[in-house]
Amino acid sequence: MVKHVFTIVVPVYNEKDNLLRLEKALLEFVKTTSFASKVLFVDDGSTDGSQSLLTEICDRNSEFSFIAFSENFGLSAALKAGFDYVDTELLGYIDADLQTTPKDFNLLLPYVEDFDLVTGVRVNRKDTYVKALSSKIANAFRKLFTHDDMDDTGCPLKIIRTSCAKKIPMFSGLHRFLPALILLQNGRVKQVPILHFSRIAGKSKFGLSNRILGPFIDCFVFLWMKKRYINYKLVK
C-alpha cells in the first residue's frame, strides 16, 4: 500500500465547468511527481452540481477524495476543514479555477525540507486591471500590518508542513494570512515564482468589497491574534 506524504487540498465552490480540466491536471501531477501524493477536494456548499461531478471524479481516481459542507461557509472554512482532515506530512493548496497549475508544485517541493511554508508568487498575472489593482492594494495593507515581507500572500499555490497547518486558528479571512500565521509559530517561509493563467471557465468569487474591505478588517483581527498568540515549548 502506498504511503502518501503529500495531500493537495482543493476548495471547490461552484466550479463545475472547471472540474474535468482540474481532474486531468491533478492526475498528471500525481502520476509524475516523486512525492507520493493524493488529492482532497473540499466542496464548500456548491449549488451548480459540482458535488455530483466530484463524486464521479473520486470514484474513478483512487488517489482522489472529497468532503462536503452542508452549505457555503467560505474559502477560509474550506481550507481549515482540509487542513484538519489531512493525514500526510505535507499538504498543498490550490484553487479549482486553474489560474495556477499543479505542475508548479514541483517548483515548491524542493524547499520543503528547510521551510514550513513554501508559497508561490504569481508572475505576469493574467488578471483584469481592477482585480490586479485591488489585490495590490490589499497586499500592501497586509504587509503593513503583518510585516511578513511576502510579495503575494493571496497566491493560491502553497505547500505547508501539516503539523504547522493544523495549529492555524480558525477565523474568516485566514486564507489571506497563511505565511504570517506560520511565522507566528516561528516557522520558516519561502517564496518561489510560479506561472499564472487567465480564468477560462466559471466566475471569480471575490469582488472589490472582499478584496479590499475584507482584508482591511481582517488585518485588525490578525493584530489582535498576534498580540495574544502564545508559543509554548514542552520540557517533558
Side-chain angles (χ1 to χ4, degrees), residues 206-220:
F206 294 92
L208 280 176
S209 62
N210 52 18
R211 282 203 189 97
I212 296 180
L213 181 59
F216 181 71
I217 294 173
D218 290 341
C219 283
F220 291 98

Side-chain angles (χ1 to χ4, degrees), residues 91-136:
L91 64 85
Y93 155 45
I94 189 171
D95 277 351
D97 58 18
L98 281 179
Q99 287 197 257
T100 53
T101 173
K103 289 181 182 179
D104 279 354
F105 278 124
N106 288 317
L107 301 178
L108 277 54
L109 283 166
Y111 300 98
V112 297
E113 289 294 327
D114 298 318
F115 295 92
D116 301 293
L117 179 146
V118 186
T119 181
V121 177
R122 293 166 287 186
V123 296
N124 298 320
R125 290 183 62 171
K126 308 300 182 181
D127 288 326
T128 65
Y129 174 78
V130 172
K131 184 176 180 180
L133 179 61
S134 60
S135 294
K136 186 175 182 179

Side-chain angles (χ1 to χ4, degrees), residues 137-199:
I137 294 171
N139 196 57
F141 279 149
R142 286 191 291 267
K143 290 182 77 170
L144 179 65
F145 278 79
T146 64
H147 302 289
D148 59 12
D149 293 326
M150 294 289 106
D151 297 315
D152 187 12
T153 58
C155 178
L157 193 84
K158 292 178 171 63
I159 297 177
I160 312 174
R161 195 171 305 280
T162 302
S163 59
C164 295
K166 289 183 182 294
K167 294 177 185 176
I168 292 175
M170 176 62 202
F171 67 97
S172 179
L174 73 83
H175 60 280
R176 301 182 176 109
F177 297 92
L178 290 174
L181 290 165
I182 297 301
L183 291 171
L184 271 184
Q185 302 177 30
N186 296 321
R188 297 157 295 174
V189 175
K190 172 74 174 177
Q191 299 185 100
V192 178
I194 64 165
L195 297 174
H196 190 244
F197 304 90
S198 300
R199 176 185 268 275

Side-chain angles (χ1 to χ4, degrees), residues 77-89:
L79 281 177
K80 180 60 173 160
F83 294 173
D84 290 343
Y85 199 85
V86 164
D87 61 1
T88 52
E89 179 183 350

Side-chain angles (χ1 to χ4, degrees), residues 10-27 39-44 46-58 60-61 64-66 94-98 102 199-202 205:
V10 189
V12 175
Y13 179 59
N14 291 346
E15 293 285 2
K16 183 179 178 181
D17 292 340
N18 280 314
L19 290 181
L20 293 180
R21 293 173 52 244
L22 180 62
E23 175 191 15
K24 182 179 179 181
L26 288 167
L27 193 59
V39 176
L40 174 66
F41 297 101
V42 183
D43 182 61
D44 185 19
S46 295
T47 57
D48 68 341
S50 288
Q51 188 175 139
S52 295
L53 187 51
L54 283 175
T55 300
E56 296 177 15
I57 290 171
C58 293
R60 60 177 174 253
N61 295 290
F64 292 12
S65 63
F66 80 93
I94 189 171
D95 277 351
D97 58 18
L98 281 179
R199 176 185 268 275
I200 294 177
K205 312 307 184 292

